[in-house]
Amino acid sequence: MILNNGLPKFFVRRAGVFILLYACDEKRLSSEMDAYQEMLDNHCEIEYQIAEKARKMGKDIVEHVEIPRASDLADRTEKLLEEYLEGLQIADELREFLATKDRETASIEMSKQVAKRMHARTGDLVKAIEVGLRVGLAVLTEAVLVAPLEGISNVRLLNNENGAQFVSVDFCGPIRAAGGTAQALAVLITDVVRRELGVGRYIARHEEIERVKEEFGLYRGNLQYKPTPEEIEKIVSACPVMVNGESTESEECAGYGNIENVDGTRVRGGVLLVIGEGLCLKAPKIQNHTERLQVEGWDFISDFANKDKSSKDETKFTRNKLIIDPNDRFMKDIIAGRPVFGEPLAAGGFRLRYGRTRATGLAAGSLSPVTMHALGNFISVGTQLKIERPGKACAITPSDCLQGPTLLLENGDFGRVDVLDKWPELESQVNVIWDNGEIMLGYGEFLENNKNLIPSGYNRDWWASEIIEMLTDESAISKFISALDIDKEEILEGYPGSVSDENIDNIQLKRKWIQFLKTIPFDWDSCMKLCREFGTAVPPPWNLNWLDLPIEWLGSLHDVLLQSSVIDVSESNQIDWNFDAKSNQWLKISGAVKGWGPVLSGKDPPVNPPGPIIDVSKPLKNQYCCGDIMQWHGLIKSSVMLLGIPHHHDGDDIILTSSWEGMLDGLGLELKNNQVVTRIDINPHLEDSVKRITNALNLLQAEEDRSKELEIERSKVRIAAETAARQRGEGIAATDKAGEAAASLVIDKGPEDPNKINAAMNLLDEHTIDGSLQIVRKCSELRWEHNAPVRIGARMARPEKAAHRLMKTSVNALFPISTQGGPQKLLTIASGSGNLRVTVGVRECTKCGKPSPFTRCHHRFDAEDPSSNCNGRTTPIKSNNSKARRLGELQTIPLRK
Ligand SMILES: [Zn+2]
């Protein structure tokens, strides 16, 4: 039922109560939403009070709730850095900066201001620089990460060789969370702040540069980018601030271990992160700021920022490639036992459709539930697939709107199954999963991964939106009705093509039309009328996989079809496999599958293909684009299967039960008085195409031979020159040089006509993209688009990765037990020995003054009386070992007495 305001009025039943599904009462709902928000705020406040009370009991390390409640970024920043700011108010100023400037600029400006104010207040240079840097970093990371606190362990003023002071910042592991941009900007912020306060620049010493080179070589962790030694030299010697850090890794530097200004001999992970992932990778972003702020001494960053650009310029001169290349990245790190569902771009893999279901989350896609069963039940809801495009992994949810797999059964039946209920009865008869069916991915997945969109097939979604655009007035609607041969009452109201997308009513109207058009059944005659009247391409089920059919077969297939006969429809067991429109007549090709048998695994195909002996053109390249399937199935069955035409066998005959009309039309044939006759002669088009492709292939072969010969010639000269140089007693470098010099004297004259080579390559690209569809477009009067232009390769990723990860049981406390809990790290095993030797922070009781590793003192006033525990609150104490505050000390923890 539709309300008079055009909104649908649906009810849902909830335990005997009917609820209106559509939101009509916006005012009431908004006020409910506000009330809900307020309720959340109030409850949160109460939770905080409870937590505060619990912490006050002193059983935890900290006696108050550490997570401050903050209203916005400025407030959060101030609260996060409370410890460092020492009462300095920054929230209001920061709010102003954020309102007028972008985040990165605001962070740099704010750092300057805070550092200046801190310096004026305390006169402490180091403290001023440190606070400025931390504030800047907090603003960059939304003040929700620990990076501004834990990512920077220390800021120091050290001395250059000439005695001048410079700033050294110690970065450590947690800086990773801040991301490359913030890491790099941290260095820039420090530089800006130290200029503001008049501290000199850092001049790297030889051994400090070499130390970083050595560390990059030794580092075993994951880095997005590893700079070359030359790049390291450039960055470290030009950077006006010393990127320093604590030793974090287990690898030790042998060459430049103990040097001044660097703490310890082991690899400093933080330094490598900031230089590799920050300064190197985010150079373009930093360059923006250095140029805008006119910071001197950052020219080196421009070289890195322009690095990618210059390499791109070089490739500009090469040909603009039209084809989509296979991408096999998803096949890497494949794990044994986890199946591959489609190789890169290979026919039979998933066909892309754009869209999402209600259940599709982020980084997720959908498959037909039949596909999920048909692919060996490997894919269940939430299973991660590694997909070729847009890349990365996606979690799978089912959608029964999608096309399921196309099956070839043991008895020769061939067709697509979309209806889940049919699968169990077919499962045991399946011979080949011919095609995986559709995979549905959102447009946003491509956007998020920064990948170009790839074309989807011309499906009913695309077709419906084209029809809608044309339905602008009454005359268009009446044309539409007459093409479909239906009554006016059967279609929806309104002219969806005449309204814009501006308001919700229009969108609802279009949405309903799309749904209607996607599911409306019609026959081939109506389809042709619609295509002609509205200029759409041929929609499924008549849209066939022309690209999969080798162009070399078209002539023979055309001739065979002229011999076929039209028969009446009788009983078909495929009638309810899917919801496609079925044909009013069937097409019979006599004797086409004589001697056919199902594909047998591990066996070679029969020497003589089944069916009649047909003369087929030799492959243009070394083999047909579909491989050797003709050996198994014969030309006729192979062709209709490649095109995706449903059929079954009747003795030696093959009976095409639907969508075969599209094949006839595409090959320039038509039905007249139930006879297949020629409408347009396919042969001239075919001969022309084949000739041009052959010429192009020959031309490229000649060019390849020419460059091979040139290379042989060059290597002869090179070897001669190198031998001569060696006999003169020259070194390896000089020998190579002599060889290259001699080889370059053999001049590459280039191909006779480079334009011809280029044209030939373009022609072959076009052939790869369009294949047999080129011929179809010439022979048919209708518009044709690809049904499956691109297949998406996929393999199973780690299903366990998709699971909700919970620790069993819920963690309420952490206690260090080192390796004493056995392989499963069990507390009970660790505590079984009575005493525990682990590294923990050093604490001292405030009541009795004795050291205790616990937060409440464990000493007893009377050793025999368990109830006489001191139970005083302990506080951390400064140990003699300077690192103990961060890393703790090895202590004995008494668990029993
Ligand atoms: Zn005590």
Side-chain angles (χ1 to χ4, degrees), residues 485-718:
D485 196 19
I486 51 172
D487 290 330
K488 192 161 197 295
E489 285 73 52
E490 289 177 51
I491 65 158
L492 299 170
E493 287 175 39
Y495 311 120
S498 65
V499 295
S500 64
D501 290 343
E502 267 162 25
N503 68 42
I504 185 91
D505 293 351
N506 291 352
I507 289 170
Q508 290 285 356
L509 177 73
K510 287 191 176 181
R511 207 174 69 86
K512 268 181 288 179
W513 266 95
I514 294 259
Q515 288 300 334
F516 166 70
L517 287 170
K518 265 158 65 169
T519 50
I520 184 174
F522 51 87
D523 61 11
W524 172 243
D525 287 334
S526 299
C527 169
M528 282 198 292
K529 281 182 198 157
L530 286 171
C531 290
R532 293 206 175 103
E533 205 66 70
F534 296 101
T536 67
V538 178
W542 298 282
N543 191 12
L544 306 168
N545 304 325
W546 289 108
L547 185 60
D548 297 349
L549 187 68
I551 196 168
E552 300 92 329
W553 295 8
L554 291 180
S556 312
L557 182 63
H558 174 267
D559 296 345
V560 167
L561 289 173
L562 278 171
Q563 310 299 320
S564 62
S565 52
V566 174
I567 60 168
D568 286 337
V569 170
S570 55
E571 223 170 280
S572 155
N573 62 350
Q574 292 186 31
I575 198 76
D576 48 4
W577 281 14
N578 57 50
F579 304 111
D580 282 353
K582 304 293 183 288
S583 296
N584 305 324
Q585 288 173 308
W586 287 352
L587 193 75
K588 184 170 97 171
I589 307 170
S590 298
V593 283
K594 192 172 184 206
W596 180 86
V599 174
L600 301 167
S601 76
K603 291 257 173 74
D604 287 334
V607 181
N608 294 315
I613 296 162
I614 300 171
D615 199 20
V616 189
S617 312
K618 288 263 166 310
L620 291 169
K621 293 177 197 166
N622 36 19
Q623 65 164 349
Y624 297 122
C625 62
C626 61
D628 69 345
I629 65 160
M630 192 170 66
Q631 286 303 119
W632 278 107
H633 306 290
L635 173 87
I636 300 160
K637 191 172 169 71
S638 301
S639 300
V640 291
M641 287 202 295
L642 286 171
L643 290 172
I645 299 174
H647 60 258
H648 60 256
H649 295 182
D650 182 8
D652 292 342
D653 307 338
I654 198 167
I655 314 278
L656 310 184
T657 50
S658 107
S659 56
W660 49 270
E661 300 93 334
M663 173 173 67
L664 294 190
D665 186 86
L667 294 172
L669 303 168
E670 65 179 344
L671 278 188
K672 259 204 182 123
N673 304 324
N674 278 350
Q675 281 287 312
V676 178
V677 294
T678 305
R679 192 191 64 238
I680 198 169
D681 191 1
I682 191 174
N683 288 316
H685 298 302
L686 207 51
E687 281 160 19
D688 177 53
S689 268
V690 170
K691 209 170 100 193
R692 290 201 300 152
I693 294 169
T694 317
N695 283 346
L697 285 170
N698 289 342
L699 195 67
L700 291 183
Q701 187 59 49
E703 168 64 13
E704 201 178 300
D705 292 345
R706 194 189 65 82
S707 33
K708 249 188 219 158
E709 258 170 49
L710 183 76
E711 206 35 60
I712 291 170
E713 190 60 34
R714 276 186 177 169
S715 72
K716 269 189 209 157
V717 178
R718 183 183 299 125

